[in-house]
Amino acid sequence: MPRTREQFSEMKDERLTSILEAALPLFSLNGKRVSIDAISSKAKCSHGIIYHYFKNSDEIYQKLLASSTYVELYNRLFTINEGSSYEKIEEIISVLLDVSEAKFENVCYLNMIIKNDDKNSLFLLLTKLVKEGQNSNKIIAGEPADVVNTLFFVFKGIYLSFLQEKHPVIKVPSLENVMQLIRKPVSF
């Protein structure tokens, strides 16, 4: 029996979804340097099927960045307007720590966000907030970029553990423990 238009449309949507699901962890781990070959291998489909949907891997990357999940996470991280610089940092860190196996997609996107080195990067935003926090005497002394690098090492370790699927259950540190890394000690 021949397939209906709805069945063809459903198959097309399923293929597109499987390509994007296969590509997401690859881009998260490797940045923009992901080949169509790697995506087709992970998606278990031919190059031709991928080229039917996309011109190149950059177009797949851009489609992922336009996803509602990426946009939501990006907005949660970059639109925190209330509170002191310390409170803004704490809110950003709480978003970055909100990972679990049920949110594998979020982990992929968060890793992409912290690896981004564009002029609107999370690294630059946090560096600015750390400097402001140091000026208000709430954040430890030191080069602001070094403080942010320390935080990013924590998150990259957590995210890589999830993405490489080597540790199925990962103990994520508490917000309080991560904030202790950057909080200026109180002197008595």
Side-chain angles (χ1 to χ4, degrees):
M1 183 167 152
R3 293 187 175 121
T4 66
R5 284 183 187 213
E6 289 134 4
Q7 288 172 323
F8 274 118
S9 178
E10 191 175 301
M11 279 178 37
K12 188 175 179 180
D13 291 347
E14 287 173 4
R15 276 195 212 128
L16 178 61
T17 299
S18 72
I19 291 168
L20 293 172
E21 286 175 351
L24 180 57
L26 295 172
F27 281 111
S28 183
L29 287 169
N30 303 304
K32 296 177 187 176
R33 301 176 319 269
V34 176
S35 68
I36 293 293
D37 188 49
I39 296 168
S40 71
S41 177
K42 179 108 174 154
K44 295 181 172 95
C45 68
S46 70
H47 291 75
I49 288 176
I50 293 175
Y51 285 120
H52 176 74
Y53 294 94
F54 301 100
K55 293 177 192 168
N56 53 41
S57 64
D58 186 56
E59 196 173 285
I60 297 169
Y61 183 75
Q62 294 306 318
K63 177 83 171 172
L64 291 169
L65 295 184
S67 77
S68 60
T69 303
Y70 179 87
V71 170
E72 177 191 336
L73 287 168
Y74 186 91
N75 287 337
R76 283 180 63 199
L77 291 165
F78 286 89
T79 59
I80 299 167
N81 299 318
E82 301 292 319
S84 67
S85 56
Y86 181 85
E87 291 166 332
K88 290 176 185 176
I89 292 169
E90 190 172 44
E91 182 61 29
I92 289 169
I93 290 173
S94 72
V95 172
L96 294 173
L97 286 172
D98 186 19
V99 297
S100 69
E101 288 185 61
K103 297 181 182 180
F104 182 79
E105 179 183 27
N106 288 17
V107 174
C108 291
Y109 284 124
L110 287 169
N111 197 47
M112 289 168 71
I113 290 170
I114 67 170
K115 288 174 78 171
N116 177 3
D117 58 2
D118 293 343
K119 62 183 173 185
N120 294 326
S121 72
L122 186 60
F123 182 85
L124 292 177
L125 173 61
L126 280 170
T127 301
K128 177 183 156 231
L129 291 172
V130 164
K131 187 172 186 174
E132 290 172 10
Q134 289 172 331
N135 291 338
S136 65
N137 222 19
K138 295 236 183 203
I139 304 291
I140 61 172
E143 184 60 39
D146 292 341
V147 174
V148 175
N149 269 328
T150 301
L151 290 173
F152 275 22
F153 282 124
V154 171
F155 295 114
K156 287 177 182 179
I158 293 167
Y159 299 159
L160 286 174
S161 294
F162 272 102
L163 294 172
Q164 296 190 351
E165 303 173 36
K166 293 185 179 173
H167 305 288
V169 178
I170 295 163
K171 178 95 167 106
V172 177
S174 69
L175 176 61
E176 177 60 27
N177 285 342
V178 175
M179 291 304 292
Q180 284 179 359
L181 295 173
I182 65 167
R183 184 181 305 124
K184 185 168 184 167
V186 179
S187 54
F188 297 97

